[in-house]
Amino acid sequence: MSLVQTSLHNKHLELGAKMAAFAGFDMPLQYSSVKEEVLTVRNEAGIFDVSHMGEFFVTGPDAVKFVDYIVTNDFAGSEMLKAVYSPLCRQDGTVIDDLISYKLAEDRVLICVNASNIEKDWNWISAQTSGFDIVLENKSDSYSLIAAQGPKIEAIFRDVKLLDNAEFPYYSIVEREFDGEKIIIARTGYTGEDGFEVFAGHKLIATLWDKLLDNGAKPCGLAARDVLRVEVCYPLYGHEISDELTPLDAALKWTVKTDKENFIGKEALVGLTSKYRLIKLSLEKGIPRDGYSVLNMNDEVVGSVSSGTMSVVTGKGIALCLVEREKFPADKKFKINIRKNNIEAIYHTKAFVNGGHK
Amino acid sequence: MSNIPAELKYTKEHEWAKLEGDILSVGITDFAQSSLGDIVFVELPEVGTDIDKEGAFGVVESIKSVSDLYSPVAGKVIEVNSDLESSPEQCNEDAYGSWMMKIKVNNIAEVEEMLTADQYKEICENEH
């Protein structure tokens, strides 16, 4: 199968990006260096092409009610023009995907889903619509998406007139005209830093991409994006959450509102004890990688690394790890196996890096 | 295009080697460091280790990847460049100055069999 190209593909090549296959798309992995790109987002302003992600629109009188029914978090109770992060679960509580729903109007909701799950989500969501007065559309092919992240991005957004002076707090959204076209801007992201995600048609996104670069933002690739999200301990589908796990396994209990009247998976998730606990470990020396074994002090395997990388900010190897609840050691002491060595790890109760988001 | 000094020998796994007497210095090529990106970790063997031809003798890691290092010849490790363990970025800055191990070669013929600069250049061009 040939790889899908986003509308910004030629721009990535012109910028000299190293490209790689991701979820069937040919995506920019890095432009300059992963280190530089991570630091750009932490200290300045970076932009990512995340057009591979999927966009579904739910319209009609029951739009909000429907989305609230398929997700585990409280979407109905959220304010208008707000985004809500939530797992999408099956009846047995296992996770189909994690997604962000944007309440554009009482009768219009945008759902943004992971690129790797577009088809699976579409099949699932479209099979749940009976009894709801809604229209569901997959507009993934007609939208491009840029994530613009970092402490200096707000000023750049004002310079290019994407933002006005109106208040625009974290996780807010706005739908507005730009160059005669409707676009959606959300104050969201996946890096822990302040920033925005902009949904627009392909042509306009290309114009915006160039404008943001001209005004000081730097292009950043998916490798930096992954390091950034692990540093602030955000879960990624296929790593911390998957078809076999429930949100409770990935410490996402805060997104499961069991007091909601009804939602898919509620019965399974009420009163459920998770099989795993998601923990954060770092190493003084060595880099933990996905799949490496996590051990207790007796060198018995108790779990595995779900996401591991070198942290650019701390200069240490960092890991999110799924540890079996039944084997969780009371002393909270762990080792990580790297090749022939079991290396004692440092247990963290907080994220490795504090993002600066508002 | 990456730098491929004519006087060195190479492997298809992107190691370079330089023979002095029966001691072979081994490192990774400019092409390798450039493909890996920021090198953040280097793991080297213990001095005195016997290594097989094409045996893994260490590991280099970039932020997002792990790569084994393969010895082009069989022999005994007599010295490792432990500076690289504390400053792995040297591999990016000076690939041919950053030797990783020195190995006492059992059979010099194995060095003769390694790729020449021209042969290695061809491999890099095909991978590009």
Side-chain angles (χ1 to χ4, degrees), chain B residues 84-115:
Chain B
L84 299 181
E85 292 174 331
S86 46
S87 314
E89 67 282 356
Q90 286 180 28
C91 306
N92 291 117
E93 290 156 7
D94 180 13
Y96 299 108
S98 302
W99 61 276
M100 293 179 166
M101 67 160 179
K102 290 188 179 177
I103 184 167
K104 191 169 166 23
V105 181
N106 293 349
N107 177 3
I108 297 288
E110 287 179 351
V111 179
E112 304 299 319
E113 289 161 16
M114 289 182 70
L115 302 174

Side-chain angles (χ1 to χ4, degrees), chain B residues 32-92:
Chain B
Q33 71 75 22
S34 151
S35 326
L36 286 168
D38 304 311
I39 292 171
V40 291
F41 188 79
V42 176
E43 191 175 282
L44 299 172
E46 280 182 33
V47 170
T49 312
D50 285 310
I51 299 202
D52 294 335
K53 182 174 189 278
E54 288 167 18
F57 73 85
V59 170
V60 289
E61 301 194 36
S62 69
I63 292 175
K64 297 303 294 174
S65 74
V66 185
S67 310
D68 285 322
L69 299 165
Y70 297 101
S71 179
V73 296
K76 190 186 279 292
V77 178
I78 58 153
E79 199 180 345
V80 295
N81 185 355
S82 42
D83 281 357
L84 299 181
E85 292 174 331
S86 46
S87 314
E89 67 282 356
Q90 286 180 28
C91 306
N92 291 117

Side-chain angles (χ1 to χ4, degrees), chain A residues 73-127:
Chain A
N73 206 343
D74 182 12
F75 185 68
S78 78
E79 287 170 51
M80 187 56 62
L81 294 175
K82 282 279 185 185
V84 176
Y85 169 82
S86 180
L88 174 76
C89 288
R90 300 181 183 80
Q91 273 87 1
D92 66 2
T94 56
V95 185
I96 298 160
D97 198 5
D98 63 338
L99 42 80
I100 294 184
S101 306
Y102 302 82
K103 202 185 273 187
L104 297 168
E106 279 303 341
D107 59 357
R108 193 155 160 268
V109 178
L110 162 63
I111 303 175
C112 182
V113 307
N114 279 306
S116 51
N117 290 334
I118 294 174
E119 198 183 334
K120 181 173 72 164
D121 291 0
W122 175 257
N123 291 341
W124 173 262
I125 295 173
S126 55

Side-chain angles (χ1 to χ4, degrees), chain A residues 119-162:
Chain A
E119 198 183 334
K120 181 173 72 164
D121 291 0
W122 175 257
N123 291 341
W124 173 262
I125 295 173
S126 55
Q128 313 303 323
T129 58
S130 81
F132 291 93
D133 189 358
I134 56 151
V135 175
L136 180 66
E137 288 168 287
N138 180 356
K139 293 205 174 169
S140 304
D141 291 344
S142 29
Y143 274 88
S144 281
L145 175 58
I146 294 177
Q149 306 275 294
K152 295 190 178 162
I153 199 69
E154 181 177 7
I156 295 175
F157 264 50
R158 290 190 198 287
D159 290 345
V160 302
K161 308 270 183 287
L162 273 166

Side-chain angles (χ1 to χ4, degrees), chain A residues 329-344:
Chain A
D331 61 4
K332 291 186 182 166
K333 288 191 168 171
F334 297 92
K335 294 179 183 177
I336 296 176
N337 171 262
I338 301 185
R339 295 177 283 277
K340 286 173 208 152
N341 303 313
N342 295 337
I343 303 170
E344 197 170 335

